[in-house]
Every structure is written in structure tokens, then in C-alpha cells.
Amino acid sequence: LHFAFLYLIGDTLSKYKDCFNTTPTIVLVAPYLFINVLSVLCGYYAITELSEYTLFFDVFFQYNSLVLVLNALLLFLLFMRLKMKSRVINYLASSCLAVYLIHGSSLFLNHLIKDAAWYIQTLTNSVFVQLLYVCLLGLLVLVCCIAMDKILIPVWKFANTISGKMEKTSIGRTFLEYSIVK
């Protein structure tokens, strides 16, 4: 449902692109920066002052929280203004869905990202250094997810080729018919 909601937002943005492009940039940048600063400050407060799970985490940090969706929407509106013709950026941008899916998996999220974030908290008391480490962690996660996607592209192409050839054989058609019936 969340994914469908995001596509609905994207479709709406696409239809009203001209309207959003005439909005002054400061109207988009100011709330975007405000939300980011507020999220960092609230996150720091939550980690240092709150010991139990609260509604606060749902509002600011849950996967589909309104604050994160609004923040992503504002960032997307800012990027809509840019006309990018870079091959590198377009190459990396083609992995957005893979990054979205891979970093949200339980292996990545529960065992790598969360453990690393808690470890970063124990390294130093300096908020600035912790923020720097978290940014580096985010960059590392992004690079790992893109690398996994790019490495697996030939594997998926090969599997697609094999499955296409299998469909043409009698065994493949029988298997396909059997799987459709079930």
C-alpha cells in the first residue's frame, strides 16, 4: 500500500510539474532544511534521553512516516528542477529501486545498519563526529546496494535468457502450464 501511495504521489507530481517548477526554490528549500535539522535534533534527543520506544520514532523515523515522505517529496521537487544529462548520474540512478529494496531487507537493516548506528553512538560523545560517521555509513550502504545491483544485472539477464529458452521446450511449457493451473 505504501509503494502504491508513493507511485500516486509521483504521478501527481508528473501531472502538475509545470506548477511545481514555478514555485520559488526557497519555498522548497526552507521546509526541507527545517525538517532535516529537526529530525537530526530529535534523533539525537531520542537516542540520548529516551530509553523506550515511543510514538516519536513512528513520526520521525519509521519507514513510511509522514515526516520522511514529506522530506522525500520536497527533495524530489528540488531535483525536478535540475536537467541532468550525466551518464554517471543516470547510471547510478537506475539502481534507485534496488537500493530501496536491498537496504530495507531485514539482513541489511537489522544486522548491518542498526548495529553500525548503535556502534557509532558508542565511539564518541561528539554529535558532529557521530553525524559525520552516520553520513559515511549512509554513503557506504548506498555504494554497497548499487554495487550489488550492478553485479547482479548479468545474473538476471542470464536467468531471463535461460527461462525464455526453457519456455520454448516441451518440459518448459508443461512446467508453465502446471504452475498456472496450481
Side-chain angles (χ1 to χ4, degrees), residues 27-173:
V27 172
L28 301 174
V29 171
Y32 176 75
L33 291 176
F34 176 75
I35 290 171
N36 280 308
V37 169
L38 185 66
S39 294
V40 168
L41 292 175
C42 290
Y44 179 73
Y45 171 76
I47 289 171
T48 58
E49 302 296 326
L50 300 175
S51 60
E52 70 233 18
Y53 179 83
T54 63
L55 177 64
F56 175 82
F57 285 102
D58 283 338
V59 173
F60 280 95
F61 300 108
Q62 282 299 323
Y63 186 66
N64 56 356
S65 75
L66 291 176
V67 173
L68 286 178
V69 170
L70 178 62
N71 200 22
L73 178 66
L74 290 168
L75 182 64
F76 185 76
L77 289 172
L78 286 168
F79 269 89
M80 269 180 34
R81 296 166 180 267
L82 301 176
K83 304 294 183 221
M84 295 198 188
K85 305 269 189 230
S86 170
R87 286 181 139 178
V88 173
I89 290 175
N90 289 332
Y91 177 76
L92 296 175
S94 68
S95 293
C96 283
L97 181 60
V99 170
Y100 173 81
L101 295 173
I102 293 170
H103 94 280
S105 71
S106 63
L107 173 68
F108 240 73
L109 189 61
N110 293 333
H111 299 291
L112 296 174
I113 297 174
K114 285 184 180 178
D115 291 347
W118 285 111
Y119 178 71
I120 287 170
Q121 180 188 353
T122 63
L123 286 176
T124 179
N125 289 333
S126 170
V127 177
F128 178 74
V129 174
Q130 287 178 358
L131 185 60
L132 178 66
Y133 283 148
V134 167
C135 289
L136 290 173
L137 174 64
L139 187 61
L140 179 66
V141 167
L142 179 70
V143 168
C144 289
C145 291
I146 290 173
M148 288 172 67
D149 179 49
K150 298 306 180 189
I151 289 169
L152 288 174
I153 286 174
V155 173
W156 297 127
K157 284 183 180 179
F158 177 73
N160 197 18
T161 302
I162 296 297
S163 68
K165 290 180 180 179
M166 284 291 291
E167 284 179 0
K168 295 177 183 173
T169 66
S170 60
I171 295 172
R173 282 192 300 273

